[in-house]
Amino acid sequence: MDNLTENLTSARPSADPVDRQVYAWVLDHRRTAVKEFAHDLGLPVDRARASLERLVALRLVFLDPDDPDAGYAVAPELAVTELAAPVEARIRAEQERLARTRALLADFAPVYRSSCGAGCPGSGVQVIASLPEVRSALNRASDDCTLEVLASQPGGGNRVPSAMEEALVRDRALLGRGVRMRTLYHHTARFNGPSQAYVAAASRLGGQYRTAHQLFGRLIVFDRELAFVPVQDGSSGAVAIREPSLVAYLCELFEHTWAAARPFADAADDGLEQVAQELDETILELLAAGIKDETIARRLGMSLRTTRRHIADIMQQLNAESRFQAGVAAVRAGLLPEE
């Protein structure tokens, strides 16, 4: 029975050749005597019996309750009707249950609209509170997308393999439909193994990837019509934006950053020393601007611990005991402009 279930649920089910032989024998002889057709067909008795059981499960053969050897075979059309009846009944029951659920939930819509105001669907800006709802909305947008996806994904240096594998499955479907995909990462993604493997695989499918030391934040835009940005309360929610002017502004912000970013390459290909030097210069600029460590870490896509280690290394190299001294030393060394 397990083989039967696997066969029915496979992408392209096909009948076992032995089953076809047994089915033809039963049709001709109007009997289901296992030993007889096993002998005639040259089959082991166990294999003949297993074949008969599959045909009975498929409703192609019926056994006589008084004499199992006196069974008979029926047309495939009758078997289909027999098998489909309970499935169709379950589908009708589920459709009725879904209709009742929709009607019940529709009673809550006026309450929701009166409460959420500008955050309601249809207003151009919708707040999506929970992570499951966010994933569902992203999956729907991905399925409906036909032209282009723009994405900014900060924090590329701490990606886990499972997340990369899930993203590759989704992106493969988009690229397979001819959708253009461009994604921005932090430079730190160049040093992350899962990110390198993902970008290499997706690039072969047509995806385009660039990196920058600083990104404006997380963003995904589908067909320049629907954008998703994170909520600012620290939760896993998101804001879905359809208002044309806002979406256009976000796309312009992406294009500006994309133009200044560099094509993705791993650390070895791009030069470890050059990337590290650019990172130190960026940290110096942010320190000179009075930016806090937490903000620097977020902008560079690094952990706070890693950021502070970089800051300590820079101050040691500049022989500075304070950040002010580090700024002065950086100007004298030509690493920062005098102003």
Side-chain angles (χ1 to χ4, degrees):
M1 193 64 183
D2 291 341
N3 291 337
L4 171 63
T5 303
E6 181 179 352
N7 198 23
L8 288 175
T9 56
S10 64
R12 298 182 63 183
S14 59
D16 189 314
V18 172
D19 293 349
R20 290 199 296 268
Q21 287 180 300
V22 174
Y23 176 66
W25 191 96
V26 175
L27 276 173
D28 292 340
H29 295 80
R30 293 194 60 81
R31 286 179 57 74
T32 51
V34 174
K35 292 182 179 179
E36 289 183 29
F37 67 73
H39 176 270
D40 291 351
L41 298 175
L43 299 172
V45 173
D46 289 345
R47 189 173 183 186
R49 183 175 291 108
S51 177
L52 181 63
E53 290 175 355
R54 288 194 293 271
L55 294 173
V56 170
L58 285 170
R59 302 298 193 273
L60 286 168
V61 170
F62 288 83
L63 301 178
D64 189 321
D66 298 325
D67 182 4
D69 290 348
Y72 59 94
V74 300
E77 292 78 10
L78 293 177
V80 169
T81 302
E82 182 80 15
L83 288 172
V87 177
E88 292 173 345
R90 289 196 298 270
I91 292 174
R92 286 194 297 271
E94 289 299 315
Q95 289 175 333
E96 292 173 0
R97 189 169 70 88
L98 178 59
R100 291 194 299 270
T101 301
R102 283 176 171 167
L104 174 63
L105 295 179
D107 291 340
F108 293 89
V111 179
Y112 178 72
R113 284 193 291 269
S114 64
S115 174
C116 69
C120 288
S123 64
V125 178
Q126 177 190 0
V127 178
I128 307 174
S130 68
L131 182 58
E133 290 177 299
V134 172
R135 285 178 172 169
S136 178
L138 286 172
N139 288 336
R140 288 196 303 271
S142 179
D143 291 341
D144 295 339
C145 184
T146 59
L147 299 175
E148 182 182 39
V149 176
L150 309 177
S152 171
Q153 301 286 2
N158 57 0
R159 306 254 170 189
V160 296
S162 59
M164 293 285 92
E165 292 172 3
E166 181 180 348
L168 185 58
V169 171
R170 182 177 59 250
D171 295 348
R172 181 181 288 113
L174 283 164
L175 293 167
R177 301 199 307 267
V179 174
R180 184 189 184 195
M181 290 189 63
R182 288 185 290 161
T183 303
L184 286 166
Y185 288 122
H186 273 123
H187 277 333
T188 49
R190 299 165 181 248
F191 303 91
N192 180 256
S195 295
Q196 293 172 8
Y198 160 76
V199 169
S203 295
R204 287 193 292 269
L205 298 173
Q208 300 177 56
Y209 300 87
R210 293 187 181 183
T211 65
H213 274 313
Q214 297 188 67
L215 293 179
F216 48 83
R218 194 171 301 279
L219 169 70
I220 304 179
V221 184
F222 296 91
D223 287 341
R224 296 182 180 259
E225 295 178 351
L226 173 59
F228 291 87
V229 297
V231 295
Q232 297 301 307
D233 59 5
S235 69
S236 55
V239 180
I241 304 170
R242 291 187 180 276
E243 204 288 317
S245 296
L246 284 177
V247 174
Y249 175 80
L250 293 172
C251 291
E252 183 178 351
L253 182 62
F254 174 91
E255 295 291 359
H256 177 77
T257 308
W258 179 266
R262 296 164 55 184
F264 188 104
D266 63 32
D269 290 341
D270 201 47
L272 177 61
E273 183 176 351
Q274 181 180 356
V275 173
Q277 180 180 348
E278 291 181 2
L279 179 62
D280 288 347
E281 291 174 356
T282 302
I283 292 176
L284 273 171
E285 291 174 359
L286 296 174
L287 286 174
I291 305 299
K292 295 182 178 179
D293 294 356
E294 292 81 0
T295 304
I296 294 175
R298 186 170 62 252
R299 288 190 182 183
L300 299 182
M302 297 190 300
S303 68
L304 180 59
R305 181 179 179 180
T306 301
T307 301
R308 285 175 171 165
R309 187 172 67 246
H310 275 283
I311 293 174
D313 291 342
I314 291 171
M315 293 182 65
Q316 182 178 4
Q317 292 171 13
L318 293 173
N319 196 24
E321 297 182 359
S322 68
R323 297 188 178 192
F324 175 78
Q325 289 181 350
V328 173
V331 171
R332 289 176 177 173
L335 300 176
L336 291 177
E338 294 186 6
E339 60 269 17

